[in-house]
Amino acid sequence: MEPGIVALLTDFGTRDAYVGVMKAVMLARFPGLRLVDLSHEIAAHDILSGAYLLYSAWDYFPAGSAFCAVVDPGVGGPRGTLMAEEGGRYLVAPDNGLVSLLDRMKRGLSVFALDTAVVVELCPPPPGRRSGSTFHGRDLFAPAAALCAAGQADRVRGPRLAPVLLPEVRPKIRPQGRGRGRLEGCIIHVDRFGNCITSLHRSDLTGPFSSGGFVVRAGTFSVQGFKATYVETEPGEALAVIGSAEFLELSVREGSAAARHGLSIGDAVWIAG
Amino acid sequence: MEPGIVALLTDFGTRDAYVGVMKAVMLARFPGLRLVDLSHEIAAHDILSGAYLLYSAWDYFPAGSAFCAVVDPGVGGPRGTLMAEEGGRYLVAPDNGLVSLLDRMKRGLSVFALDTAVVVELCPPPPGRRSGSTFHGRDLFAPAAALCAAGQADRVRGPRLAPVLLPEVRPKIRPQGRGRGRLEGCIIHVDRFGNCITSLHRSDLTGPFSSGGFVVRAGTFSVQGFKATYVETEPGEALAVIGSAEFLELSVREGSAAARHGLSIGDAVWIAG
Amino acid sequence: MEPGIVALLTDFGTRDAYVGVMKAVMLARFPGLRLVDLSHEIAAHDILSGAYLLYSAWDYFPAGSAFCAVVDPGVGGPRGTLMAEEGGRYLVAPDNGLVSLLDRMKRGLSVFALDTAVVVELCPPPPGRRSGSTFHGRDLFAPAAALCAAGQADRVRGPRLAPVLLPEVRPKIRPQGRGRGRLEGCIIHVDRFGNCITSLHRSDLTGPFSSGGFVVRAGTFSVQGFKATYVETEPGEALAVIGSAEFLELSVREGSAAARHGLSIGDAVWIAG
């Protein structure tokens, strides 16, 4: 079998060697794996952002790929670990809401406990090193993702589970209020350019919202309807667009919507007819 | 055929998953491609910097490699897209001046329109996703570069074209004033260490400038002649050197020429005998 | 032979194309090499930090891997270049203390001069480019590491040497004062999260220090004993843990020990019974 791809998403940054060591663990065991960095700059508390980046990338990876996500404010704590599967792709992650947007958008998603004891047994630390309690990325998530991308997901799949949705994730991952002429979502990611990606998906814009004849508001940001491309506006002008992952984005052409309007992850967004 | 290398140069940063998704698109279609990041930290308006980095890396990549450059202040706007070829290497990029330094330095460079309709036909989006108008890197440039590196450049090569030089690039990419005992260039890149790379190439330093007995000036920066290595000066001392891509560089040993002298991309540089 | 891995550790950052060009040099000559970034964010003067990251990653890379380390405040100066070997792994680096922690921890480490003349002869610059005096990473260290990872270490191995320990590295890489009920080390790395990794290894905690009944102090940081995991403390509380590379780490749960206590690399740390 052709070796798969492992896509990495962490809050480890790139100053330290944490990510490099995770890659070494994977390549030492499965030399043919191909490794792709999604991001290592997620803030530890930005579960929503991690959930969005996973979803935005998911469909572009071929079947057989595994996503290794370690965004984990509670490292070492009692939260569980999960593996999820959809379309032949795998995710290993802490059970803290990272899977929540995939869970919302992908009907075919199955979620299981990760059998961590088997992972550690199959991929023990190298001679002279110990499996630690402080670096689950290296000792648990990296080998688990590598096993999945190497076609051995069956070995580490535990019982089915319903993913945990933390109180700070649960009400924000799905739009609220449909049916009252008003749809409320929130900002789930702010990109490098200051574009604010919201939880409102193209598929939410039905019924009274299908015409585009609505107002989009978030704090002081307010525009009428949405545009197909940035160039339908003037430089410096605010606009809402359906972004590259098909969620509604709040933008300022050649500027930063986040900076100009003081918006950040978790802030509420409304559309109203 | 051995799979080629794709070198990526973008203004996307590494916080988001934009670059990772571009890599997924390429690997999904051509699993054997090898991917090398040049930089994702180019500021969107620093076309000169992108043009320099492409040139500085070009010759070190083997024939069959493709460069995928997406530094694009006008994304979604009416600028064209090009592919260029030299020495068996390919470049796909927006037609906004990114190719300008290669165009100046490489006599064998050929520039063509990119046949974007064919790219989209050959590499459609995955099931359930749309080819968007906001993410050309993913939907157009990544698949085009992958096709080139996979030996299929013939399929996406459009008619020959003369690359556009934007007003802010045209006068800065070639030195001016030769023949009056004075040569004027500009700063085209500032590196992490604050070294200011200029548009003055070793091959420009002929005639009255071949002896090295000239003054180099940029704002308050002023030195006599150029050195072969940093260690010919004292720590903290200013110097001009022929840098690693053979352009004249303004430096301060163990310091930052850019910070000390307030220099940035586009600033004028003179040498005079 | 299966192509090896090259792990890169530099002070080049990722804004410029320096690292990408090093990778091109390696892949152009040995297309099957796999490349892993450890870090490119080491500050040029943080030899201790580079030494720590190399050690922390070392055992996780399989035999046949080569580490290419270019953290080099004296680029172009008269410091030598070395190659080191242990457990079938290779390191090429400037002889400035980067190898010092491996030298302390790995009894089987052998250190040799790097035969730079042979490297340049085996891997000359591409047509039209010169081997420069300003970019040793591209012209010397990258090809040397690639040769080692491709099974050709024998060709570039010079005579044995004793690595240089600069005055700022020598007293800091080994704990001092054992036997007086007090052990003195120093902070050798500060990670992204503000955890301060010290030079005190698990194997130093013997005799009076084996019980854990000691005080750990560094500036205003002071705790009693060490914990196995972060969750044995409350959020915001200070703790000492044996970290992922088995060195004593000063931490604040869900906070930054470095920021709260003003700690940085080189600062003294004491434990006392």
Side-chain angles (χ1 to χ4, degrees), chain A:
Chain A
M1 199 189 94
E2 182 184 319
I5 302 172
V6 176
L8 293 104
L9 180 84
T10 78
D11 58 8
F12 293 154
T14 52
R15 272 181 50 190
D16 304 296
Y18 297 130
V19 174
V21 171
M22 289 172 67
K23 292 177 178 176
V25 165
M26 294 193 275
L27 291 174
R29 190 165 170 90
F30 300 107
L33 286 176
R34 289 158 293 144
L35 305 175
V36 172
D37 297 303
L38 290 183
S39 175
H40 302 293
E41 306 296 327
I42 308 299
H45 53 280
D46 279 343
I47 298 295
L48 286 169
S49 188
Y52 169 73
L53 294 182
L54 283 174
Y55 173 78
S56 76
W58 191 260
D59 290 328
Y60 292 92
F61 282 81
S65 299
F67 292 73
C68 180
V70 196
V71 179
D72 198 8
V75 61
R79 57 101 188 95
T81 52
L82 61 77
M83 63 178 290
E85 306 180 15
E86 187 276 338
R89 300 172 201 92
Y90 303 93
L91 166 67
V92 295
D95 183 11
N96 60 8
L98 280 174
V99 76
S100 58
L101 195 57
L102 282 165
D103 190 49
R104 170 185 156 197
M105 300 299 297
K106 293 284 184 188
R107 280 156 196 269
L109 190 83
S110 304
V111 185
F112 306 89
L114 180 68
D115 190 335
T116 58
V118 169
V119 174
V120 172
E121 187 192 316
L122 291 174
C123 301
R129 293 291 176 106
R130 306 188 186 193
S131 186
S133 51
T134 62
F135 192 1
H136 292 180
R138 178 190 70 191
D139 299 332
L140 189 57
F141 292 109
L147 286 162
C148 291
Q152 303 183 26
D154 288 354
R155 304 177 77 176
V156 298
R157 188 187 289 115
R160 271 184 188 269
L161 60 77
V164 165
L165 283 188
L166 302 176
E168 64 269 32
V169 173
R170 183 188 292 277
K172 296 190 165 165
I173 210 67
R174 285 178 191 273
Q176 309 288 324
R178 165 167 296 279
R180 289 169 303 186
R182 179 184 147 109
L183 196 58
E184 181 178 339
C186 87
I187 295 173
I188 55 175
H189 182 66
V190 176
D191 78 6
R192 180 197 201 196
F193 305 102
N195 300 311
C196 298
I197 291 96
T198 76
S199 59
L200 303 173
H201 187 259
R202 181 196 289 274
S203 61
D204 295 318
L205 304 180
T206 55
F209 308 112
S210 60
S211 69
F214 50 73
V215 171
V216 181
R217 286 222 173 82
T220 61
F221 181 99
S222 175
V223 302
Q224 184 75 32
F226 62 88
K227 309 286 194 204
T229 72
Y230 295 111
V231 291
E232 293 177 37
T233 54
E234 297 300 309
E237 197 180 332
L239 71 158
V241 294
I242 300 293
S244 57
E246 304 194 44
F247 286 86
L248 196 70
E249 270 180 49
L250 316 183
S251 297
V252 168
R253 187 176 172 199
E254 297 175 25
S256 165
R260 185 187 296 176
H261 296 279
L263 298 172
S264 57
I265 294 170
D267 287 357
V269 179
W270 296 268
I271 64 177

Side-chain angles (χ1 to χ4, degrees), chain B residues 66-108:
Chain B
F67 292 74
C68 180
V70 195
V71 179
D72 198 9
V75 63
R79 57 102 188 96
T81 53
L82 60 77
M83 62 178 290
E85 306 179 15
E86 188 275 338
R89 299 172 200 94
Y90 303 92
L91 167 67
V92 295
D95 183 11
N96 61 7
L98 279 174
V99 76
S100 58
L101 194 59
L102 283 165
D103 191 50
R104 170 184 157 199
M105 299 300 296
K106 292 285 185 187
R107 280 156 197 266

Side-chain angles (χ1 to χ4, degrees), chain C residues 85-102:
Chain C
E85 306 178 15
E86 188 275 337
R89 299 172 201 94
Y90 303 94
L91 166 68
V92 295
D95 183 11
N96 60 8
L98 279 174
V99 76
S100 57
L101 195 57
L102 283 165

Side-chain angles (χ1 to χ4, degrees), chain C residues 9 42 46-55 69 71 97-98 188-189:
Chain C
L9 180 84
I42 308 299
D46 279 342
I47 298 296
L48 286 169
S49 188
Y52 169 73
L53 294 183
L54 284 174
Y55 173 77
V71 179
L98 279 174
I188 55 175
H189 182 66

Side-chain angles (χ1 to χ4, degrees), chain B residues 36-89:
Chain B
V36 172
D37 297 303
L38 290 183
S39 175
H40 302 293
E41 306 296 327
I42 309 298
H45 53 279
D46 279 342
I47 298 296
L48 286 169
S49 187
Y52 169 74
L53 293 182
L54 283 174
Y55 173 78
S56 76
W58 192 260
D59 290 328
Y60 292 92
F61 282 81
S65 299
F67 292 74
C68 180
V70 195
V71 179
D72 198 9
V75 63
R79 57 102 188 96
T81 53
L82 60 77
M83 62 178 290
E85 306 179 15
E86 188 275 338
R89 299 172 200 94

